[in-house]
Amino acid sequence: MAAAPPARDRAPETVGRRVRALREERGMSLSTLARLAGVGKATLSGLENGTRNPTLETLYAITAQLGVPLTAVLSEPAAAPTVTGAAVTATLLEVFTDTDATYELYRMRVAPGPGQLSPAHQPGVTEHITVFAGVLRAGPLDAPLTAAAGEHLRWTSDVPHSYAAVGDEEVRASLLLRYPRR
């Protein structure tokens, strides 16, 4: 798969500062976080120093190991940050919290062509996708699900999972991630 385009609409310095602060709060070394997230130490160092603009896949791998939702490292929700991966472009619309969980609501597009692999989120995270246009194949690598316009998918995403448009039409959907509170 070709390298993913860089994530957009957030200052790399801000993301880097937030990743470093979260890592340090947990008493985790740069090497440990890089190893657990499956990213290069130089990549993580560049991200923390604001010299690298990470992909969606990299941010999800890092935040999963830190035990936080993606929005913990992105700019404020009012800025409507957009992140781009190998096939998925997602724009944060809102963050909700209640006593049991934090929710992130995204407008999502999945380009036709090669799909996108997403690393496991922290334990108990679920994804809920409603498809508005196109046909989407998404879910755990060993049991992907398929939904057409007007249909809904749900799975526990604490395992590696993927997203792919079926056919030549771009998928337009909403994505709701539910992060249980620990």
Side-chain angles (χ1 to χ4, degrees):
M1 190 181 308
R8 299 176 298 184
D9 290 345
R10 62 190 144 58
E13 300 82 18
T14 302
V15 172
R17 272 193 309 274
R18 289 180 179 159
V19 168
R20 176 178 284 130
L22 288 164
R23 177 180 60 75
E24 290 174 349
E25 283 173 16
R26 285 152 180 76
M28 203 180 280
S29 71
L30 185 81
S31 297
T32 299
L33 179 55
R35 179 178 46 77
L36 291 173
V39 301
K41 186 175 173 182
T43 297
L44 182 56
S45 176
L47 185 156
E48 286 191 358
N49 291 316
T51 60
R52 294 248 173 130
N53 203 0
T55 65
L56 179 61
E57 295 91 340
T58 299
L59 286 176
Y60 272 134
I62 291 167
T63 56
Q65 295 309 313
L66 293 171
V68 297
L70 180 65
T71 54
V73 299
L74 295 179
S75 57
E76 295 303 313
T82 297
V83 289
T84 302
V88 175
T89 300
T91 302
L92 179 65
L93 300 175
E94 193 162 349
V95 177
F96 309 85
T97 57
D98 65 24
T99 57
D100 298 325
T102 296
Y103 301 86
E104 296 175 348
L105 178 63
Y106 293 88
R107 179 177 45 247
M108 181 172 80
R109 293 188 339 256
V110 182
Q116 176 173 317
L117 177 64
S118 184
H121 298 290
Q122 57 264 36
V125 173
T126 55
E127 295 194 25
H128 308 260
I129 298 176
T130 301
V131 177
F132 301 111
V135 178
L136 177 67
R137 182 174 301 117
L141 295 180
D142 62 350
L145 308 163
T146 303
E151 296 178 330
H152 174 85
L153 301 175
R154 178 193 182 281
W155 71 90
T156 302
S157 55
D158 54 9
V159 297
H161 47 285
S162 63
Y163 309 88
V166 177
D168 294 331
E169 184 181 355
E170 177 182 78
V171 172
R172 285 179 283 141
S174 67
L175 166 64
L176 180 68
L177 283 107
R178 181 186 183 278
Y179 297 88
R181 292 197 188 265
R182 294 179 174 203

